[in-house]
Amino acid sequence: MLLKNQQGPKFETIDIEQWLKTAHTKRRTQEFRIFEVDLMDERWFLMSEQLLPSGELLLQAKNISTQKGIELSLSKHTHQLTNLTLTDELTQISNRRSFIANVKSEINRYKRNKQIFTFCLLDIDYFKKINDQYGHQVGDNVLLQLSTLIKNTLREYDHFGRIGGEEFGILLPDTEAIEAQDILNRLRNQVMTTVFNNENDPVHITLSIGLVTS
C-alpha cells in the first residue's frame, strides 16, 4: 500500500506500524545515517541524523528540491531517450537494434541451458506495389495495422520487431517448430482475412514467412 498525502512524507509499506517500529530501532542503533524525504508536494529534503553520546538525536535537514527536480527530470528524459533508441518510430514495436539484442540473448540462453526457441522472418508480399498504387501514407497504415495484429496474436513473452521496411522478426522462446507453425498459420490466416487501411479504400496483403528452430 502506498500512503500519500498532499502534505507530508511518503511511505511505501504494507504495515505502517512495523515501518515506524523499524525506523525507531534504526534511529537508536546507528550513530549516523543519512536519507532523503519526499514530502509529496515537489519538496525534497536530505536528512542527516546523528546519535549523540547523551542519547539525544541531532537531526539536520537540507532542502534539495531543486537538485532532486533536475535529477528526476534527467531520469525521465533518459528513459524516454532509451525507449526511442529501442523502438520503431512508426509501429512502436522493437526496432532492428532491440530485436537483434533479444535474439542474441536467446541464443546465449540456448547455449547455457539448451532452451529451445524458434526464429521467424516475415515479409509483406509486393509491398512496393502498395506504396506505388496507394501512396506511402497507406503503406504506413498497413505496417501499423499489421504490427498491431501480430502483437495481439503473439504470447506475452514472445519478441517481435521491425527489421526493415516491410520485414519483421518474431522470436518464440521455448517453442518447437510444430508449435511455431501453428502460431504462424493462425497469423497468416488472420492477415488474409483482414481488411487493411480502411473499408472505403481496402488493401489486402499476404505474407511470406520463414522459420528456423534451435
Side-chain angles (χ1 to χ4, degrees), residues 17-31 33 49 51 57:
E17 294 297 333
Q18 182 60 42
W19 187 93
L20 291 171
K21 182 179 179 180
T22 302
H24 180 75
T25 301
K26 285 184 177 180
R27 295 179 72 177
R28 295 298 175 179
T29 57
Q30 295 179 317
E31 292 186 1
R33 67 189 187 111
E49 190 178 77
L51 180 61
L57 286 172

Side-chain angles (χ1 to χ4, degrees), residues 78-141:
T78 299
H79 180 70
Q80 291 174 338
L81 287 173
T82 300
N83 283 339
L84 286 175
T85 63
L86 300 177
T87 303
D88 180 66
E89 182 178 3
L90 172 64
T91 60
Q92 293 300 299
I93 62 174
S94 295
N95 61 14
R96 181 186 182 92
R97 174 185 177 185
S98 176
F99 182 75
I100 289 178
N102 286 327
V103 172
K104 290 180 178 179
S105 177
E106 196 65 28
I107 290 174
N108 290 332
R109 192 169 77 102
Y110 171 76
K111 290 179 179 179
R112 291 193 308 269
N113 307 319
K114 300 302 178 185
Q115 293 285 345
I116 198 167
F117 68 91
T118 296
F119 172 71
C120 317
L121 278 178
L122 290 73
D123 189 275
I124 302 175
D125 297 326
Y126 309 111
F127 184 71
K128 185 177 183 300
K129 288 186 177 181
I130 295 175
N131 281 331
D132 292 342
Q133 181 176 348
Y134 298 98
H136 287 277
Q137 182 59 58
V138 172
D140 287 349
N141 291 343

Side-chain angles (χ1 to χ4, degrees), residues 121-180:
L121 278 178
L122 290 73
D123 189 275
I124 302 175
D125 297 326
Y126 309 111
F127 184 71
K128 185 177 183 300
K129 288 186 177 181
I130 295 175
N131 281 331
D132 292 342
Q133 181 176 348
Y134 298 98
H136 287 277
Q137 182 59 58
V138 172
D140 287 349
N141 291 343
V142 170
L143 292 172
L144 183 56
Q145 287 178 263
L146 177 63
S147 299
T148 301
L149 187 153
I150 294 175
K151 279 194 299 184
N152 292 337
T153 301
L154 297 178
R155 302 162 299 188
E156 289 186 4
Y157 54 85
D158 296 329
H159 301 291
F160 170 49
R162 185 182 178 193
I163 298 176
E166 70 274 20
E167 297 174 337
F168 298 87
I170 296 176
L171 187 62
L172 305 173
D174 304 317
T175 305
E176 299 275 0
I178 294 178
E179 184 182 0

Side-chain angles (χ1 to χ4, degrees), residues 134 195-204:
Y134 298 98
V195 176
F196 290 87
N197 195 37
N198 59 66
E199 293 183 357
N200 295 326
D201 198 9
V203 175
H204 295 277

